[in-house]
Amino acid sequence: MLYELSKKKAINDKIFDFEVESFNSTENVKAGQFFYIDCGGKSFLRRPISICDVLDGKLRFIFEIRGIGTYELSKKKCGEKIDILGPFGKPFNTEFGKNKISILIGGGIGIIPLFKLSKELEKVVAILGFKTKESIFLKEEFVSTCDKVIITTDDGSFGKHGNAFEALEDTLEREENKKNIGALYTCGPKKLIYGVAKFGITNNIKTQVSMEEHMGCGIGACMACVCDTTEGKMRVCKEGPVFDSKKILNNFEE
Amino acid sequence: MTQKKINMKVDIGGVVWKNPVSTASGVFGFGEEYSSFFDINALGAICLKSLTLKKQVGNDSPRIAETSSGILNSIGLQNPGIDFFIKHELPKLKKICKTNIIASIAGSSIEEYAIIAEMLGSNVNMIELNISCPNVKEECITFGINSKSVENITKKIKKVSKVPLIVKLSPNVENICDISKAAESGGADALSLVNTFLGMKIDIKNQKPYFKNTFAGLSGPAIKPIALRMVWQARLATKLPIIGLGGITCTNDALEFLMAGANAVAIGTYGFFDPLIWPKIKDGIEKYLIENNINDIKNISLTNSY
Ligand SMILES: Cc1cc2nc3c(=O)[nH]c(=O)nc-3n(C[C@H](O)[C@H](O)[C@H](O)COP(=O)(O)OP(=O)(O)OC[C@H]3O[C@@H](n4cnc5c(N)ncnc54)[C@H](O)[C@@H]3O)c2cc1C
Ligand SMILES: Cc1cc2nc3c(=O)[nH]c(=O)nc-3n(C[C@H](O)[C@H](O)[C@H](O)COP(=O)(O)O)c2cc1C
Ligand code: FES
């Protein structure tokens, strides 16, 4: 399916913000799902990129240059057509957050799928971790969709000094009535999502985690993208990328 | 203007395919996923993920890596086992699939292959013996690299199989002609070639092999010229129908295999990029025949005259 790149912005020299025109209905596109994108150039496989936002008929992606595929994608010009499949995968379950507070914990580019999620939920606290002040992005937009936004930086150059996980512990210590919290939703580096997953279980809070694995088909047919779960090896592209924390905890044990 | 009737039908070991296009084992699951992209009944056959006697958990991640014009995979035959397949997957598939179903089977002993073949009975249209998977530690691959063992396993499974038997050959062999002949004298009804080439990748950041199993299987356009050469050689060595595969990405690639003497083709890896590649190639072949005034697909092999 070809989509026209209608808007492109460089957030910094590594992170790009794309908007593409969708000819399909965007109603069924849900936070946590991903699109499978032909980046062009010498890349052979498509690249999975999360949906960041849906704006009247347009899809928004944000991605960081990591290797050849994302580099090629960053070179696309407005007006150019991009070959995109999807949306694929299971979205976040927003039922857990109904009438309660949802806490989103994201690290680095892991915050991207949480932005769309923040729009789908009711009462939202977002804890967003970055390396430095310079690497902060999407902050203002999260402020507009969330009840509260906590920013952390590893070097203390902005917001709280430390990482998003420490800020989560901190926030919950202060939250008198933990029962008000419907769920934790997390995406980001393995260490962060592991911490959050474990924390959710210890504190008896429903927790959903978005996983990453290298993919082949992207639709569940090749078994390339599996991660360990309590029910055996499951496909990140089909049963995931969002999993209940209880299912995937054994993924992180050394 | 009325269009001339073109024959796309091929006979693969006694089974009529309405056209010479199939899926490769392992990239197409059990058919369900891709059926939401196109009508799988448009294909001559579909070949399913290799089945083993017991459920296989497969290898630890990472399982896939991109290479120049291809991929390396180390899936390790993850599948739910033959019992589960027959009870749950096959009935689901049969509801949507009216074309030929090829069940691919793998095992760690001849007995295992035999039990699976017996269990399948005539519930599928063909059985493909995967004796060439490079991604499992067990014997699977060793059945496929030596002529004697190829002949032996083919003979034993042919005896118990209720449906025509395809033997899928490994390209990681000294002499593809000898192996092809061995499968033929073991009683194979058809051959398919090739499976993936043994390759590897090294993680230079962590200074160790990228895959837990060290080696992995190379597929995709990177292997096409070698796969094509092997199909050509196998064609000259045996009379058996051949399903040619390895790196096909478009109609022209498929035509090359058919001209090299393959009676049908299968596409694997490229489906990851283009989920519609199978019906596209089927239509493309038909168009080529019409445009070139060839009224029968059987007439495009070049190897007939060699
Ligand atoms: C469900 C999901 C959603 C994602 N959403 C986003 C997003 O919104 N924004 C963003 O910037 N990144 C996202 N990623 C990560 C992104 O897919 C990788 O950074 C990208 O594939 C790297 O490709 P490359 O060609 O630049 O890197 P290369 O290293 O050249 O890629 C080589 C191969 O490895 C794969 N690969 C490398 N890193 C990853 C990774 N972390 N995850 C999966 N495959 C990888 C590539 O897809 C490719 O097949 C997501 C990953 C997944 C699994
Ligand atoms: C991810 C993946 C999984 C595979 N699994 C199997 C398998 O289970 N059984 C089998 O016989 N071949 C398997 N193969 C090999 C393919 O069927 C095919 O022989 C090979 O990939 C070459 O064709 P291609 O280049 O079109 O993919 C697999 C290939 C890939 C890429
Ligand atoms: S990428 Fe093929 S099963 Fe997930």
Side-chain angles (χ1 to χ4, degrees):
Chain A
M1 194 77 181
L2 293 174
Y3 294 75
E4 188 177 311
L5 179 58
S6 54
K7 212 162 128 193
K8 170 183 175 178
K9 197 178 115 198
I11 291 178
N12 55 40
D13 59 347
K14 283 257 185 256
I15 301 180
F16 289 80
D17 190 342
F18 275 21
E19 237 174 68
V20 300
E21 300 277 348
S22 174
F23 307 105
N24 285 350
S25 156
T26 49
E27 250 165 63
N28 296 324
V29 181
K30 292 276 181 291
Q33 292 187 299
F34 66 94
F35 284 82
Y36 210 29
I37 301 183
D38 169 16
C39 297
K42 281 190 181 150
S43 66
F44 176 68
L45 292 168
R46 291 167 180 271
R47 304 299 194 248
I49 300 288
S50 305
I51 184 72
C52 172
D53 200 2
V54 174
L55 320 129
D56 42 54
K58 297 195 183 85
L59 305 174
R60 184 179 179 199
F61 307 100
I62 297 184
F63 63 93
E64 181 175 45
I65 298 181
R66 287 283 176 86
I68 57 163
T70 45
Y71 173 78
E72 282 298 332
L73 190 60
S74 76
K75 296 287 158 220
K76 301 264 186 206
K77 296 190 185 75
C78 279
E80 239 183 286
K81 298 270 195 307
I82 306 178
D83 182 348
I84 300 175
L85 298 176
F88 295 150
K90 289 249 153 53
F92 288 106
N93 184 343
T94 51
E95 289 297 309
F96 298 147
K98 273 250 155 77
N99 305 319
K100 294 198 168 180
I101 301 171
S102 304
I103 305 187
L104 319 185
I105 307 101
I109 56 166
I111 70 168
I112 293 161
L114 302 181
F115 181 64
K116 168 112 176 63
L117 182 62
S118 73
K119 289 175 115 183
E120 292 176 8
L121 292 164
E122 293 157 26
K123 269 191 123 225
V124 188
V125 174
I127 306 176
L128 313 174
F130 300 94
K131 284 206 173 82
T132 62
K133 185 180 172 190
E134 285 68 45
S135 57
I136 294 172
F137 66 100
L138 275 184
K139 172 170 152 275
E140 296 313 322
E141 289 178 83
F142 269 101
V143 167
S144 72
T145 58
C146 300
D147 298 277
K148 189 172 168 191
V149 177
I150 300 166
I151 304 280
T152 69
T153 51
D154 294 344
D155 66 353
S157 54
F158 189 91
K160 273 190 178 205
H161 192 173
N163 63 41
F165 179 61
E166 290 159 5
L168 169 69
E169 288 182 307
D170 223 41
T171 310
L172 277 203
E173 241 163 57
R174 270 188 247 147
E175 179 68 48
E176 284 122 46
N177 197 350
K178 289 208 175 68
K179 289 215 168 65
N180 288 339
I181 295 165
L184 309 178
Y185 299 94
T186 185
C187 181
K190 269 208 167 162
K191 217 176 130 200
L192 172 69
I193 58 177
Y194 172 51
V196 175
K198 230 173 145 178
F199 183 88
I201 286 170
T202 322
N203 290 284
N204 209 8
I205 306 172
K206 289 212 168 60
T207 303
Q208 289 212 304
V209 175
S210 181
M211 301 292 287
E212 260 185 27
E213 267 306 332
H214 291 213
M215 293 181 180
C217 66
I219 60 168
C222 76
M223 297 292 161
C225 64
V226 298
C227 69
D228 288 304
T229 75
T230 48
E231 288 160 37
K233 289 185 188 292
M234 290 178 111
R235 296 162 290 190
V236 168
C237 73
K238 193 162 186 189
E239 284 89 18
V242 177
F243 291 94
D244 282 334
S245 59
K246 285 184 184 151
K247 260 198 193 144
I248 52 90
L249 255 194
N250 51 349
N251 240 283
F252 303 98
E253 263 134 42
E254 293 300 308
Chain B
M1 197 178 83
T2 51
Q3 217 165 47
K4 227 170 56 186
K5 202 101 182 91
I6 296 290
N7 179 45
M8 287 277 279
K9 267 193 222 132
V10 290
D11 180 326
I12 306 296
V15 178
V16 176
W17 293 19
K18 59 181 165 243
N19 61 63
V21 179
S22 167
T23 62
S25 173
V27 301
F28 202 71
F30 298 122
E32 189 188 346
E33 287 79 17
Y34 282 99
S35 67
S36 61
F37 285 88
F38 66 92
D39 178 12
I40 58 176
N41 295 314
L43 306 182
I46 60 166
C47 183
L48 311 178
K49 176 72 189 168
S50 290
L51 292 159
T52 50
L53 189 54
K54 298 255 159 60
K55 169 186 167 145
Q56 286 269 323
V57 294
N59 296 335
D60 284 337
S61 299
R63 287 182 169 188
I64 187 166
E66 190 175 71
T67 69
S68 306
S69 296
I71 62 166
L72 283 162
N73 91 79
S74 176
I75 308 291
L77 295 183
Q78 178 172 354
N79 79 90
I82 185 68
D83 246 344
F84 186 94
F85 171 78
I86 290 175
K87 283 205 191 94
H88 303 283
E89 296 290 351
L90 192 57
K92 247 193 323 190
L93 176 60
K94 286 221 160 160
K95 276 199 195 124
I96 54 168
C97 184
K98 304 286 169 252
T99 191
N100 295 309
I101 298 174
I102 307 171
S104 167
I105 69 175
S108 53
S109 66
I110 294 183
E111 290 67 42
E112 272 185 33
Y113 280 94
I115 298 169
I116 304 170
E118 276 175 29
M119 285 174 77
L120 283 167
S122 45
N123 284 313
V124 292
N125 305 87
M126 304 185 88
I127 288 178
E128 181 173 86
L129 267 192
N130 175 3
I131 48 172
S132 45
C133 178
N135 290 328
V136 282
K137 292 231 170 69
E138 290 95 44
E139 269 79 60
C140 181
I141 181 131
T142 57
F143 291 120
I145 55 177
N146 155 316
S147 300
K148 267 223 168 69
S149 63
V150 170
E151 183 175 344
N152 188 30
I153 190 169
T154 307
K155 208 178 261 164
K156 295 216 161 106
I157 306 309
K158 178 64 194 166
K159 221 178 267 168
V160 296
S161 179
K162 291 249 176 6
V163 292
L165 187 66
I166 305 164
V167 177
K168 184 166 182 182
L169 306 183
S170 167
N172 307 302
V173 294
E174 225 167 70
N175 189 327
I176 200 76
C177 301
D178 292 349
I179 301 277
S180 305
K181 283 180 188 149
E184 188 169 31
S185 52
D189 297 292
L191 300 177
S192 69
L193 63 155
V194 295
N195 207 316
T196 54
F197 285 79
L198 215 49
M200 77 180 289
K201 176 182 168 75
I202 291 177
D203 174 354
I204 55 165
K205 193 166 149 225
N206 297 303
Q207 304 183 342
K208 59 178 195 204
Y210 179 82
F211 292 103
K212 299 263 159 55
N213 269 1
T214 310
F215 300 149
L218 180 66
S219 64
I223 69 169
K224 200 203 86 187
I226 319 177
L228 190 63
R229 181 265 294 170
M230 288 182 153
V231 166
W232 180 282
Q233 288 178 308
R235 172 74 298 145
L236 297 180
T238 82
K239 292 262 173 306
L240 292 176
I242 291 175
I243 303 162
L245 75 163
I248 296 175
T249 67
C250 58
T251 300
N252 289 359
D253 289 347
L255 288 166
E256 284 195 64
F257 275 86
L258 295 167
M259 289 184 189
N263 305 71
V265 292
I267 303 106
T269 306
Y270 201 71
F272 294 172
F273 180 77
D274 183 356
L276 298 178
I277 194 61
W278 296 278
K280 277 185 191 166
I281 287 181
K282 183 219 111 197
D283 292 344
I285 294 172
E286 199 162 7
K287 187 158 166 258
Y288 178 89
L289 295 183
I290 294 170
E291 283 173 1
N292 289 276
N293 261 324
I294 302 168
N295 55 14
D296 195 326
I297 183 77
K298 290 185 212 70
N299 297 340
I300 72 170
S301 169
L302 306 177
T303 24
N304 288 341
S305 46
Y306 276 76

